[in-house]
Amino acid sequence: MLHIAGRPSVNEAGDALVSEPDGALVVDDAGRIAYSGPFSEVPPDLAAATVVDRRGCLLLPGFVDAHIHFPQVYTTDAHGGGTLLSWLDRCVFPAEARFADAGFAREAAREFCAARIAAGTTAAMVFGSAFPVAQDALFEETARTGLRMVSGRGVQTRGPASASPLITSEGDAERSCRAEIARWHCADDPGRPDRAMLQVALVPRFALSVTPETLGWMGELHRQHHASGVYFHTHLSENDAPGVGEIDSVLRDFGTSSYLDTYDGRFGPGGEVAGESLLGRRSILAHAVHCSDSELDRVAAARASIAHCPTSQLFLGSGTMPWKRMAARGITVALGSDVGAGDEWLVSRVANDCFKVHMSASADRVVPLEPAALLFSATLAGARALDMEDAFGNLDAGKDADFLVVDPSAWPPLSRSIDAASGPAALAFAVMMALREPAIAEVFVRGRRVSVS
Ligand code: GUN
Ligand code: ZN
């Protein structure tokens, strides 16, 4: 067994790293972890449990993907001819338009969930399709397979011609957000946002896809649903190409001096307060590569989280997220695959890129991330970002049994790396760097094996 126990900060993850060479996980009938520790110390009252012997394998917590796009399931490795905005225009908007077709969306939902299971991603913040019919297919398939998910339809009320199939009127956008919340938020466990497997987020694609009016009604909707735990999810400060890039375009269009203002109720002219803030502890902002110190201070004060997507940032040339500045403020940074700008579904593979990009940063920004910090970012940090740390994220007794059975013999490079590792930190590093999908033998959520069939 290998996991980050307790509730550490990222800088405390090393001390919280637990490696139990002959471990046992006892799962009760409700799918909760009744015991987690050495096999030899299973309490007598639990000793009658059926033993499933997985010696030779590793038990890890399920991975949490804090940012992944459902309607980009077929859009990894698309050559966009440039950075973010041209990639969206040439590749992504046309690809996402295909999700208007219910049959196509159902098949895509099947492949999306199958890819998540293969990668051991037991929980995810899923950036949704513009089309309610596709979102229904996604929620239905997620419920059928037994995965956890927070998702919301990607709202677009303005954009270039290529995005026109994805754009709706303000009225239709608001109605469909309300309908999605009514149908799917805590659908499996009404009134229990602390534990429900299916939950809903409000998801404006990014500031360039919405109007001040959209941000106005969305802030109001968010306020109305605050107590019921509806999330907020979007992109922030990803591309800083001068003049024509994402950030300059946002500042120009909104007349504000800060990108974050648009999500923080300050979307009036010159950054005036014009509505409710969308920031809170159930807000996850993807990327945040180019934020100012004062923007990061506001993210920290709101207790919002960052989905760090290094694989995607390499692909789109977006730059390197400022790890030290995030950690100094205690901001929760979880990993996101950002499929399809990211072409890796496996969150540990994203952690592998995370290690490399921060090693390769300019001299004053280099961070040799500890192995435990990588495991933390791929698991417990994601549960914290989803505000569900009490329910899952590690193998502590009392949590839901969301775990992976990893069989190193199915992937010889992993097996070799593990054999060469001495000590818990080296083992964690071997797993985070060398794990690949073939070694993920079984995936459990709340004690139940998830599968596509
Ligand atoms: N910004 C707005 N839309 C997108 C998207 O689909 N992917 C990424 N990486 N950034 C975005
Ligand atoms: Zn994204």
Side-chain angles (χ1 to χ4, degrees):
M1 274 171 33
L2 187 69
H3 72 126
I4 305 294
R7 308 174 75 92
S9 68
V10 63
N11 293 332
E12 297 162 345
D15 291 336
L17 177 64
V18 170
S19 169
E20 195 57 70
D22 189 14
L25 203 60
V26 182
V27 180
D28 71 15
D29 291 343
R32 220 159 284 136
I33 300 173
Y35 169 82
S36 161
F39 184 76
S40 58
E41 292 174 26
V42 172
D45 58 318
L46 300 174
T50 310
V51 177
V52 181
D53 187 348
R54 287 287 180 269
R55 273 176 290 187
C57 294
L58 281 162
L59 302 185
L60 301 179
F63 291 127
V64 183
D65 191 335
H67 180 63
I68 178 168
H69 292 256
F70 163 49
Q72 294 174 22
V73 57
Y74 304 123
T75 319
T76 51
D77 302 310
H79 188 265
T83 54
L84 173 65
L85 298 185
S86 73
W87 172 77
L88 289 173
D89 191 39
R90 291 189 201 180
C91 305
V92 172
F93 293 150
E96 293 195 4
R98 301 171 70 194
F99 285 69
D101 179 90
F104 180 87
R106 262 197 305 278
E107 181 54 30
R110 268 195 290 277
E111 294 200 28
F112 184 81
C113 291
R116 276 190 55 190
I117 295 169
T121 303
T122 50
M125 173 60 91
V126 178
F127 206 104
S129 164
F131 304 105
V133 71
Q135 285 300 98
D136 287 344
L138 176 65
F139 275 108
E140 281 159 11
E141 182 64 6
T142 306
R144 197 183 69 78
T145 52
L147 291 165
R148 289 182 196 274
M149 179 179 74
V150 179
S151 184
R153 68 177 293 264
V155 172
Q156 298 188 226
T157 49
R158 68 177 176 121
S162 59
S164 58
L166 308 174
I167 293 172
T168 61
S169 68
E170 302 285 348
D172 283 348
E174 183 176 354
R175 270 189 294 280
S176 54
C177 287
R178 285 188 188 279
E180 187 168 33
I181 292 168
R183 177 157 187 198
W184 291 112
H185 188 58
C186 298
D188 59 297
D189 205 347
R192 294 302 304 267
D194 56 325
R195 44 170 290 134
M197 308 260 261
L198 303 176
Q199 301 201 40
V200 171
L202 290 167
V203 183
R205 178 166 213 126
F206 63 162
L208 292 181
S209 290
V210 292
T211 64
E213 189 181 347
T214 314
L215 292 165
W217 61 254
M218 199 174 271
E220 181 54 24
L221 194 54
H222 189 247
R223 190 191 60 74
Q224 288 169 13
H225 287 279
H226 179 75
S228 62
V230 168
Y231 292 78
F232 172 66
H233 186 45
T234 191
H235 298 96
L236 173 71
S237 288
E238 178 178 4
N239 172 268
D240 70 343
V244 293
E246 177 204 19
I247 297 171
D248 280 358
S249 302
V250 171
L251 302 186
R252 189 185 56 238
D253 287 8
F254 285 86
T256 152
S257 57
S258 150
Y259 191 149
L260 189 68
D261 279 355
T262 60
Y263 305 138
D264 196 18
R266 298 173 172 275
F267 48 81
E272 297 235 326
V273 174
E276 298 288 334
S277 175
L278 288 156
L279 305 180
R281 60 187 301 153
R282 286 199 163 205
S283 303
I284 300 184
L285 305 162
H287 299 289
V289 174
H290 306 286
C291 288
S292 65
D293 281 345
S294 68
E295 285 177 314
L296 294 188
D297 290 344
R298 265 196 281 165
V299 169
R303 306 193 65 184
S305 302
I306 301 302
H308 178 27
C309 311
T311 310
S312 157
Q313 287 148 16
L314 285 167
F315 180 76
L316 289 175
S318 305
T320 304
M321 192 212 68
W323 184 281
K324 285 187 197 170
R325 290 166 62 218
M326 298 283 180
R329 289 168 173 79
I331 296 172
T332 299
V333 174
L335 294 176
S337 65
D338 200 15
V339 159
D343 62 352
E344 287 289 349
W345 293 77
L346 184 61
V347 176
S348 60
R349 222 352 233 105
V350 176
N352 173 315
D353 281 340
C354 181
F355 181 76
K356 292 170 184 167
V357 300
H358 295 294
M359 281 306 294
S360 304
S362 56
D364 56 327
R365 295 177 63 186
V366 168
V367 191
L369 286 169
E370 295 296 330
L374 297 173
L375 178 59
F376 170 82
S377 304
T379 56
L380 194 58
R384 189 173 297 168
L386 288 168
D387 191 29
M388 294 195 72
E389 190 175 3
D390 289 342
F392 60 90
N394 61 19
L395 303 180
D396 284 352
K399 291 203 182 183
D400 284 356
D402 289 18
F403 66 99
L404 315 179
V405 179
V406 169
D407 181 359
S409 72
W411 187 245
L414 175 64
S415 181
R416 286 193 288 272
S417 291
I418 287 176
D419 289 348
S422 71
L427 174 64
F429 197 58
V431 172
M432 298 316 286
M433 298 305 277
L435 178 63
R436 298 293 185 274
E437 273 99 336
I440 297 180
E442 294 170 88
V443 179
F444 292 83
V445 175
R446 202 178 273 169
R448 190 180 141 220
R449 186 165 178 190
V450 291
S451 73
V452 280
S453 55

